[in-house]
Amino acid sequence: MEDQSTAADKVVDEPAPAATPQSETIYRHRLPTRIWHWINMVTILIMIGSGATILNAHPHLYWGNYGANFDRPWYNPPHMPAWLTIPSHYNLALARRWHLLFALVLGFGLLGYMVASLINRHFQRDLRVRAGELAPRHLWHDVKEHLALRFHDPKNPAAYNIFQKLAYVAVIFVLIPAMILSGLTLSPALNAAWPWLLDLMGGRASARSVHFIAASGIVLFIIVHVTLVLLAGPINEIRSMITGRWRVPEERP
Amino acid sequence: MSGIITRRAVLTTGALGAGLVLSGCDKVAEQPTLRKILFSGEKINQGLQRALSTRHALAPEFRPDQMSPIFRTNGNRNPNTPDYNAMVAAQFATWKLQIGGLVSRPLAISLAQLRTMPARTQITRHDCVEGWSAIGKWRGPLLGSILKAAGVRDTARFVVFTCADMMGGQPYYESIDLIDAFHPQTILALALNDAPLDIGHGAPVRLRVERQLGYKHAKYVMKIDAVASLDGIGKGKGGYWEDAIGYDWYAGI
């Protein structure tokens, strides 16, 4: 708890407009976070849709350097339905055009967001996981709070709860980088330029499997994220991601 | 609880929004200007990949024990035209590889002559655009040596391969630029896995251009022309699949 009040002080220290007691509205999301959020929402939807088409072209996943029809897959993903794929009819050429153009947006977007978030201290301030937060007692407390649909610490409403932090850290520092690195490993030209990518992934077929697993992780994140936004009060949450201003929810018993 | 209605409204709007992104993509790809932007990813990726790799960066090569047990075939598995069948019957004794276009000395090289040329053996990975890969051992003379023997003129920028198999009523064709044509792993493969190339894999000769995807590796090569521009070739995009359905001409990823 001591930790968190310090965190609150830091947030209030911000040059940006801080909490105004009357309206109980605080400035929660800085501009780079908001821009990246919406660019990413569109980009990741396009990547999932076009990726689903590409997966339909050969829906078998292998481990190792190679993998084709006569080899043994570890998993045969189901056929991706037309409502999910880009384009809506099977067209591998167009799917690849979408995928490989927006891969650039995803990659350079993440880079820009990371640089901005180091400079504006978003990472250090909001996403740093403190040891105390990982204590079983604290985790259990947050589980109970979640089940009661209370997602914010009333004493420090601007701070992310530990599960939010872990989810965001997993997406920003693990899942999206894993998508990018495994995606780059699929490129025969980059295999020549950066052979270490293949060593890192354990071969091209493995990279393709990692690509699928990380994408599944991102899909899972999106489902949980959207569900929690709906439970937490969608208007307030979405407005805060557009204007940055977030109304502190009234304390519920 | 007005929150319920709001949540439902937001959920509907969100689902519609995601649906719009996915279905809007079909419309975008049909609109000429937007399609051009969508297709611009190819040049950006080509530029980035070429900038990140040296001209002669080698595709990874593998040990014999890392090879695929079975190297599957794909695309046309037998041209099955009267001309091709006659060549097969004559064990390709009548076959001659034509080298022409912007060269000082047009050549017609028999299979026996090709077999006496210094050959490179390489165990490399073949990556199909659909997502599967297979590792095989290829052997054949460097395309670069043959082009040097023919004397490619300074005005040439690409080499075009015309093949014995028919696609959509015309011979299959592909093209690469001179950087890939003179790459030290770009060979005219006469053998796969220590056996003369079989019909399924492109007998008597197929191109290996190891830093690009499988559809660039033209099988059943009959004719190689040095050209200044791809404008007059097919519909001008440089290859059968590029013209027919919009695959990227640069297939480094």
Side-chain angles (χ1 to χ4, degrees):
Chain A
M1 291 298 120
E2 187 56 40
D3 274 356
Q4 296 194 352
S5 59
T6 335
D9 292 344
K10 280 184 193 160
V11 170
V12 177
D13 275 348
E14 273 258 67
T20 44
Q22 285 87 0
S23 62
E24 287 188 284
T25 297
I26 57 172
Y27 183 65
R28 198 174 192 209
H29 301 299
R30 294 171 195 79
L31 189 61
T33 307
R34 287 178 275 147
I35 293 174
W36 188 62
H37 176 273
W38 295 112
I39 289 178
N40 244 14
M41 187 198 82
V42 173
T43 303
I44 288 181
L45 275 177
I46 289 174
M47 295 308 275
I48 290 170
S50 54
T53 301
I54 297 170
L55 183 66
N56 278 344
H58 186 80
H60 314 287
L61 296 168
Y62 316 85
W63 295 115
N65 284 313
Y66 61 82
N69 305 54
F70 294 105
D71 305 308
R72 193 190 171 85
W74 64 270
Y75 182 53
N76 300 307
H79 181 81
M80 297 292 143
W83 60 263
L84 178 68
T85 64
I86 295 174
S88 52
H89 57 287
Y90 178 76
N91 183 328
L92 181 59
L94 275 184
R96 282 171 43 78
R97 297 282 181 172
W98 281 107
H99 207 73
L100 299 176
L101 177 65
F102 278 85
L104 295 165
V105 180
L106 184 72
F108 288 105
L110 179 70
L111 185 68
Y113 167 74
M114 282 186 158
V115 170
S117 297
L118 283 171
I119 293 171
N120 70 18
R121 301 186 52 78
H122 173 46
F123 284 162
Q124 302 93 311
R125 217 182 328 237
D126 304 320
L127 293 182
R128 202 173 88 207
V129 175
R130 288 159 176 85
E133 293 177 295
L134 292 174
R137 195 172 46 87
H138 183 93
L139 290 175
W140 179 238
H141 172 258
D142 266 25
V143 168
K144 284 188 293 183
E145 291 289 291
H146 268 74
L147 292 176
L149 303 186
R150 281 188 300 262
F151 306 114
H152 309 95
D153 178 356
K155 290 191 219 70
N156 184 12
Y160 293 141
N161 67 58
I162 181 61
F163 295 115
Q164 269 181 303
K165 283 189 186 179
L166 291 176
Y168 297 151
V169 165
V171 168
I172 296 166
F173 297 101
V174 181
L175 292 178
I176 301 181
M179 291 307 309
I180 294 171
L181 287 173
S182 59
L184 292 175
T185 311
L186 298 177
S187 155
L190 283 178
N191 286 173
W194 295 342
W196 54 266
L197 279 173
L198 284 168
D199 300 331
L200 183 72
M201 292 287 153
R204 186 181 194 258
S206 295
R208 200 163 157 267
S209 294
V210 169
H211 207 63
F212 176 84
I213 293 168
S216 307
I218 287 175
V219 169
L220 183 67
F221 167 80
I222 292 171
I223 293 169
V224 173
H225 177 66
V226 171
T227 306
L228 286 171
V229 165
L230 293 175
L231 291 173
I235 303 281
N236 189 28
E237 296 294 329
I238 292 173
R239 187 187 55 208
S240 76
M241 198 42 86
I242 295 170
T243 66
R245 306 201 141 272
W246 180 72
R247 183 178 45 77
V248 178
E250 287 165 32
E251 263 193 79
R252 277 184 286 178
Chain B
M1 281 280 293
S2 66
I4 299 292
I5 295 161
T6 326
R7 260 168 224 162
R8 188 177 298 150
V10 169
L11 186 62
T12 314
T13 318
L16 279 175
L20 276 179
V21 170
L22 295 180
S23 63
C25 290
D26 285 7
K27 299 269 181 292
V28 166
E30 284 161 18
Q31 207 278 330
T33 314
L34 296 176
R35 189 180 173 92
K36 213 169 174 177
I37 295 171
L38 184 61
F39 278 42
S40 69
E42 177 188 352
K43 287 288 163 226
I44 303 173
N45 280 311
Q46 181 184 351
L48 285 170
Q49 294 195 348
R50 285 277 169 83
L52 290 171
S53 45
T54 59
R55 211 180 161 91
H56 286 163
L58 294 180
E61 295 192 17
F62 298 86
R63 298 187 310 268
D65 61 290
Q66 293 174 305
M67 283 163 47
S68 296
I70 300 174
F71 197 114
R72 65 163 281 189
T73 56
N74 198 32
N76 276 338
R77 289 164 169 95
N78 188 341
N80 205 20
T81 62
D83 286 350
Y84 185 79
N85 292 342
M87 288 190 289
V88 173
Q91 294 183 312
F92 298 104
T94 52
W95 177 89
K96 274 203 156 100
L97 178 65
Q98 309 288 330
I99 316 285
L102 297 173
V103 295
S104 334
R105 295 171 294 279
L107 303 173
I109 313 174
S110 72
L111 191 55
Q113 283 172 305
L114 271 185
R115 285 192 175 131
T116 59
M117 289 183 66
R120 188 177 201 279
T121 304
Q122 56 201 34
I123 301 178
T124 52
R125 201 191 58 228
H126 180 89
D127 300 325
C128 177
V129 65
E130 291 173 348
W132 56 267
S133 338
I135 297 178
K137 182 179 181 182
W138 304 94
R139 181 173 169 81
L142 286 182
L143 174 63
S145 320
I146 294 167
L147 292 175
K148 271 179 207 149
V152 175
R153 295 215 183 103
D154 290 344
T155 46
R157 288 184 55 218
F158 305 96
V159 285
V160 179
F161 303 85
T162 311
C163 306
D165 54 327
M166 306 296 282
M167 290 292 267
Q170 59 188 329
Y172 190 83
Y173 53 103
E174 253 305 340
S175 61
I176 56 176
D177 64 10
L178 293 187
I179 292 178
D180 274 319
F182 284 94
H183 184 262
Q185 284 171 321
T186 300
I187 62 173
L188 292 178
L190 305 171
L192 168 62
N193 296 349
D194 298 316
L197 211 56
D198 60 13
I199 293 173
H201 292 95
V205 161
R206 90 176 291 172
L207 174 69
R208 295 297 310 167
V209 49
E210 302 290 357
R211 294 186 298 184
Q212 298 207 40
L213 297 178
Y215 62 89
K216 301 298 288 185
H217 301 224
K219 304 200 283 192
Y220 316 110
V221 177
M222 299 293 290
K223 196 153 79 77
I224 301 174
D225 289 301
V227 297
S229 149
L230 298 174
D231 288 344
I233 316 298
K235 292 182 192 158
K237 302 279 186 234
Y240 171 75
W241 289 112
E242 290 88 326
D243 282 334
I245 60 169
Y247 273 169
D248 307 70
W249 173 80
Y250 177 75
I253 183 160

